[in-house]
Amino acid sequence: MNMRRREFIIILGGATTLGALPARAQQREHVPRVGIVWIAPQSVVSPFHDAFRAGLRELGYIEDRTIALEARFAQGKLELLPGIAEELVRARVDVLVAPASVIVQSLKQATTTIPIVMANVTDPVGFGFVKSLQHPGTNITGFSNLMVEQVGKNIELLREMLPGLMRLAVLVNPAVPDAALVLREARASARVLGFAVHPVEARQAEDFDGAVRQASDQKCDGLLVSTVEGLFFVNRARIIEAAAKHRMPAAFAAPPFGLAEAGALLSYGANTPDMLRRSARYVDRIIKGAKPEDLPVQQPVKFELGVNLKAAKALGLAIPTSILLRADEVVE
């Protein structure tokens, strides 16, 4: 009787242990899922998307084996962002990555619990994404791109190239939250340098030629293109073509990747691929248990300047040696 009882206990205990093994195995085999949202089509943002993927690989992750990447592309349509955000939240991804302020807004409205890593965002404190840069205090952290500061630097570069600059057109999309910040900084920088700013607006691709024509009609000497959201970057060739058509020297407040080669006269901004690569580290830390509210918002450490000599020649301009010596990318 005792023998049978002991055998029964051993068998029962063994069954319990065997039953627990699959559960532990499932826990060990959990593959973290990361959702990342882009405004532009994949073909347009592939250098930046690939930089994020490279950052994950550098940390030892293998896609579809040790990490799953749920990428979504809004095809340049801002109105699709809320639905994409809700879809990823319903999918219960472990971390969300947002490479633009308007994307953060959509994700923030969709969830207050899933961690969100900003990868290229303007003024996260001003927009209420975090309580402070050092202590975010929310489910959001990541990287600020110092976009507003880049606007001022681009204006300085344009003035250096165009000493007679008196009227500057600034192209913005009023549908995105960054537009007001860009205009405020542009006006502040222009006041210091002694010239006027004239905003021109584009809410869709069909507006670009009209916006540049308006700048020309207002006798503006140059155009600053704010690329804080995907619409302008997706349609960069269209904007550059319109600027060339109206003989308008154009600077883009963004790094030269894909802009200098497309014909932009000037482009200056934070190195976006570097920020995407670095944001992978925050994703890794969150996956391993860190809380976003405890991870300080970081700022870019690399900035890039691009110039296009062919565009300058077509406009009858000579790019100053002082600018050429600082340029990271020169297209002839």
Side-chain angles (χ1 to χ4, degrees), residues 152-302:
K153 183 62 178 178
N154 274 275
I155 288 176
E156 291 176 11
L157 288 166
L158 262 179
R159 183 58 179 272
E160 191 173 344
M161 177 172 284
L162 306 169
L165 178 64
M166 294 302 296
R167 298 164 70 89
L168 176 67
V170 179
L171 179 64
V172 295
N173 179 358
V176 301
D178 315 82
L181 292 174
V182 168
L183 285 176
R184 186 177 67 192
E185 177 63 19
R187 289 187 172 111
S189 298
R191 278 196 301 271
V192 172
L193 296 172
F195 59 86
V197 162
H198 295 270
V200 290
E201 299 180 352
R203 295 175 182 266
Q204 55 189 4
E206 290 71 22
D207 297 338
F208 291 131
D209 187 74
V212 178
R213 183 173 60 250
Q214 181 186 348
S216 178
D217 292 344
Q218 291 179 346
K219 307 300 181 185
C220 292
D221 306 299
L223 173 71
L224 176 65
V225 182
S226 163
T227 53
V228 294
E229 48 85 30
L231 176 67
F232 289 179
F233 187 76
V234 171
N235 294 282
R236 59 193 182 278
R238 197 164 181 170
I239 298 172
I240 291 167
E241 181 181 346
K245 173 183 174 182
H246 296 283
R247 297 191 59 76
M248 183 70 58
F252 282 72
F257 306 106
L259 289 169
E261 288 185 0
L265 177 64
L266 279 174
S267 52
Y268 174 83
N271 186 307
T272 308
D274 182 64
M275 281 191 288
L276 267 298
R277 187 177 293 106
R278 292 170 64 201
S279 68
R281 302 176 192 172
Y282 265 17
V283 170
D284 173 60
R285 292 180 65 178
I286 290 170
I287 287 172
K288 292 176 178 176
K291 296 180 180 180
E293 57 263 36
D294 298 329
L295 298 174
V297 175
Q298 298 192 36
Q299 296 179 337
V301 295
K302 294 182 180 180

Side-chain angles (χ1 to χ4, degrees), residues 53-61 277 281:
R53 295 170 64 203
L56 293 174
R57 287 195 300 270
E58 290 167 6
L59 294 165
Y61 289 100
R277 187 177 293 106
R281 302 176 192 172

Side-chain angles (χ1 to χ4, degrees), residues 259-264 306-311 319 329-332:
L259 289 169
E261 288 185 0
V307 295
N308 188 298
L309 297 178
K310 184 178 179 181
I319 297 179
E329 183 176 344
V330 178
V331 177
E332 299 182 358

Side-chain angles (χ1 to χ4, degrees), residues 58-73:
E58 290 167 6
L59 294 165
Y61 289 100
I62 302 172
E63 283 188 56
D64 299 325
R65 287 183 56 188
T66 60
I67 197 165
L69 199 55
E70 302 285 347
R72 300 291 185 272
F73 304 89

